[in-house]
Amino acid sequence: MRVAIGPPVRHFRSWISKGTIVSVKVETLILFGATGDLAQRMLFPSLYNLHLDGLLAPELTIVASGRSKMDRGAAHTLVRAALTDHLPAERLDDAAVAAFLGRIDYCSVDAGAGTGYDDLAAMLGDRLGRPIGAYLSTPPSMFGPIAQGLKAAGIACTECRIAMEKPIGHDLASSHAVNAEVGDAFAEDHVFRIDHYLGKETVQNLLALRFANMLFEPLWNAQAIDHVQITVAETVGLEGRVSYYDGVGALKDMVQNHMLQLLAIIAMEPPASVTSTAVRDEKVKLLRSLRRMKAEDVKTHSVKGQYTSGAVGGAAVTGYADELGRPSNTETFVAIKAFIDNWRWKGVPFYLRTGKRMPERKSEVLIQFKPVPHNIFARVGAAKLDANSMIINLQPEENIRVKVMAKQPGLDRDGVKLKEVTMDVSLSHSFAGERRRIAYERLLLDFIEGDQTLFVRRDEVEAQWQWIDSIRDAWAAVDLTPQSYTAGSWGPSASIALIERDGASWHD
Ligand code: BG6
């Protein structure tokens, strides 16, 4: 086994300073779960893109780690295949790929058995005690044990940090336990909990939309807004993730993390700055204001669904239970009517829905404004005015549309005609020349550089679980089972009823 890895460490201190954040850069990145799907599809391609754009310090060495035993050459073959399979050909440059592979070493660690840490420490050599980032793309049950394994092997120095994929636990109590076990090895300001939605450019753009413009903020409250809809619809089904997904379901897989982060950014109070503490303080306040679900409300405020066979994008697809090979009570769709109990949002419903095997892939936020207080056109022909709405498309399209009333041209002898027209801002068009980065490029770079703004703090994740637990408890109390919906539809009919009871309808 090679003992010294990477170029000699020059014992440099590379500081970055962003806002109030001053942090030291990671010199060695250990990637646990390096042979897994996420690493192949996202992490190695993202790291390569950063390398190609000159954003990684020459000293940065990557130690790929997995349970399998393999040598450096075999690991390079794996990474090379990941780059070829998941990056456009024009990004692949032979010399750059070779230089990128030159940064990568491999060390087998069996996190479950707790073996291999000594070899890892030996491989790190004089890098030990210097800034190391451990990135855990492993089953969540390994988060605590790996943090402890690193600590025991002396790989959790004060400038070392750890990043973890979701989920952190499966309820509040278990998330406490994971956070405590990780927190015993790494201080909270060195723990980076990933929600990859926060790495998406369009999600960060929500901050710009709300807080870099004067236009919206005065209307962003219960006086002007009737309701908000957040939809994250996917066309995919289980995608070979049976062992993970069944028993987890849409509420824990999508709402607990991605949708609550979107909700928090849409609804939080303005932070004083974009530093990690200021932004996360506001998000956590918002998450704690979510009204807990009660058993007596759960049937009118939530819907669970599970897809049966149908067609998506013109292709026939099998139902969830058939894909699974047995009946299951796991929900692949959920719709929730949520309330935020604070001054700004008193009485404003937030309708959330997410599902697999929907007719199209789209993540969208709709802000439905209230009607004008008095219609001055009522007596001259326009009896009804449509209330304004704003639709923010996050993916796959990136655009913002505002629907406003306008007068139809004419002499109006038969009365004034008003019509809804759309103001359309296409971000894909406005920023056409910019390469859209993979969310993980941003997250990996921030992790390496030590900026926590786009990572989830412990109190946030625990506030998320607190609300999710109230829904799970209420579901259990009334024994709510998923209703079926045909693959390729917008979910069970009860989801339509959930919003239409309030006189609104989903924006499909
Ligand atoms: C993951 C979920 O966190 O997000 C998946 O586990 C889901 O079930 C995915 O498909 C959606 O991410 P994106 O970036 O494709 O919207």
Side-chain angles (χ1 to χ4, degrees):
M1 187 185 68
R2 282 173 8 121
V3 173
I5 55 164
V9 186
R10 281 189 278 115
H11 292 280
F12 65 106
R13 269 185 178 267
S14 51
W15 296 94
I16 60 142
S17 170
K18 273 192 202 165
T20 57
I21 299 183
V22 179
S23 180
V24 69
K25 283 189 192 179
V26 151
E27 293 166 2
T28 314
L29 181 67
I30 309 173
L31 200 55
F32 287 92
T35 56
D37 180 60
L38 184 76
Q40 307 302 302
R41 276 189 305 115
M42 297 286 174
L43 303 179
F44 284 119
S46 299
L47 285 165
Y48 170 79
N49 275 336
L50 295 174
H51 166 90
L52 192 61
D53 293 346
L55 293 166
L56 300 182
E59 290 79 5
L60 181 82
T61 289
I62 300 166
V63 179
S65 178
R67 246 186 338 177
S68 332
K69 301 249 182 253
M70 68 174 94
D71 61 15
R72 196 165 183 253
H76 285 187
T77 306
L78 202 69
V79 175
R80 189 187 287 278
L83 303 184
T84 317
D85 291 349
H86 301 290
L87 283 171
E90 67 270 17
R91 293 286 294 169
L92 295 170
D93 169 89
D94 284 347
V97 170
F100 177 64
L101 294 178
R103 292 178 182 271
I104 301 178
D105 232 296
Y106 184 84
C107 182
S108 161
V109 173
D110 187 338
T115 55
Y117 293 101
D118 292 342
D119 291 346
L120 184 59
M123 184 180 262
L124 291 168
D126 69 351
R127 288 172 174 256
L128 273 183
R130 306 195 44 76
I132 294 170
Y135 191 110
L136 277 45
S137 168
T138 64
S141 56
M142 292 294 109
F143 297 163
I146 292 178
Q148 289 298 319
L150 291 171
K151 181 181 171 189
I155 316 175
C157 66
T158 43
E159 280 177 349
C160 293
R161 60 193 71 141
I162 190 165
M164 290 167 292
E165 285 290 335
K166 72 165 187 47
I168 308 290
H170 50 86
D171 57 13
L172 180 61
S174 56
S175 76
H176 270 313
V178 175
N179 283 329
E181 206 174 352
V182 172
D184 174 61
F186 294 88
E188 178 61 25
D189 57 359
H190 288 70
V191 178
F192 291 66
R193 295 177 193 82
I194 294 153
D195 184 315
H196 80 276
Y197 267 53
L198 295 178
K200 291 182 190 271
E201 199 67 59
T202 44
V203 175
Q204 290 156 39
N205 199 34
L206 289 173
L207 287 175
L209 181 78
R210 283 198 61 198
F211 304 122
N213 295 296
M214 189 58 206
L215 215 51
F216 308 114
E217 192 52 24
L219 298 178
W220 215 256
N221 54 47
Q223 279 71 52
I225 292 179
D226 179 77
H227 72 268
V228 176
Q229 299 179 21
I230 305 180
T231 296
V232 177
E234 299 185 279
T235 52
V236 293
L238 271 183
E239 285 186 298
R241 294 163 81 222
V242 180
S243 58
Y244 156 72
Y245 195 85
D246 195 57
V248 174
L251 183 71
K252 292 186 186 179
D253 183 48
M254 293 297 284
V255 181
Q256 187 271 338
N257 36 74
H258 310 321
M259 296 199 72
L260 283 186
Q261 284 294 325
L262 286 177
L263 174 70
I265 294 173
I266 293 289
M268 70 183 180
E269 296 301 312
S273 66
V274 284
T275 56
S276 58
T277 304
V279 172
R280 298 189 302 174
D281 281 352
E282 293 306 336
K283 281 197 291 170
V284 82
K285 255 168 63 189
L286 189 285
L287 292 165
R288 286 184 183 147
S289 311
L290 277 166
R291 187 185 302 169
R292 312 262 170 91
M293 188 70 81
K294 295 199 192 91
E296 57 264 36
D297 293 331
V298 78
K299 284 192 174 157
T300 48
H301 287 47
S302 75
V303 172
K304 286 164 89 171
Q306 188 187 92
Y307 62 83
T308 56
S309 58
V312 179
V317 296
T318 45
Y320 179 83
D322 295 331
E323 261 179 90
L324 189 65
R326 58 181 163 77
S328 159
N329 258 341
T330 298
E331 79 284 356
T332 59
F333 172 96
V334 64
I336 298 168
K337 175 171 153 184
F339 286 97
I340 297 165
D341 285 332
N342 66 13
W343 277 36
R344 184 188 283 261
W345 296 115
K346 183 161 176 56
V348 178
F350 282 72
Y351 301 100
L352 316 178
R353 75 178 162 162
T354 183
K356 298 218 181 269
R357 293 291 191 219
M358 304 266 99
E360 58 180 287
R361 176 175 185 244
K362 77 166 178 183
S363 299
E364 172 188 283
V365 177
L366 173 127
I367 313 288
Q368 180 61 57
F369 291 94
K370 289 187 169 163
V372 292
H374 169 66
N375 177 7
I376 65 165
F377 302 98
R379 293 215 196 137
V380 290
K384 185 178 165 293
L385 299 181
D386 291 327
N388 301 139
S389 59
M390 177 156 87
I391 300 131
I392 308 164
N393 281 108
L394 304 171
Q395 63 182 23
E397 305 303 327
E398 293 175 45
N399 57 40
I400 300 166
R401 281 170 295 151
V402 183
K403 298 200 171 172
V404 296
M405 295 305 287
K407 181 181 168 300
Q408 196 164 316
L411 295 177
D412 311 323
R413 296 304 92 184
D414 302 328
V416 177
K417 291 196 179 56
L418 299 176
K419 214 177 139 198
E420 193 176 66
V421 296
T422 304
M423 287 162 38
D424 202 335
V425 183
S426 163
L427 297 174
S428 325
H429 188 253
S430 303
F431 300 106
E434 312 282 337
R435 178 169 80 79
R436 289 298 187 272
R437 289 187 176 274
I438 306 171
Y440 280 97
E441 288 182 46
R442 171 66 181 252
L443 296 176
L444 280 159
L445 194 60
D446 284 357
F447 175 57
I448 290 166
E449 295 186 342
D451 183 345
Q452 289 189 303
T453 312
L454 299 178
F455 295 84
V456 185
R457 208 167 58 188
R458 177 176 182 160
D459 50 1
E460 272 181 90
V461 97
E462 293 179 356
Q464 290 171 338
W465 277 123
Q466 206 148 38
W467 188 65
I468 294 295
D469 282 358
S470 77
I471 300 172
R472 304 273 313 167
D473 292 347
W475 281 354
V478 302
D479 201 14
L480 201 74
T481 50
Q483 306 186 21
S484 24
Y485 63 97
T486 311
S489 72
W490 283 106
S493 53
S495 152
I496 298 168
L498 174 131
I499 190 165
E500 294 203 338
R501 269 196 297 274
D502 297 340
S505 43
W506 291 111
H507 182 253
D508 290 339

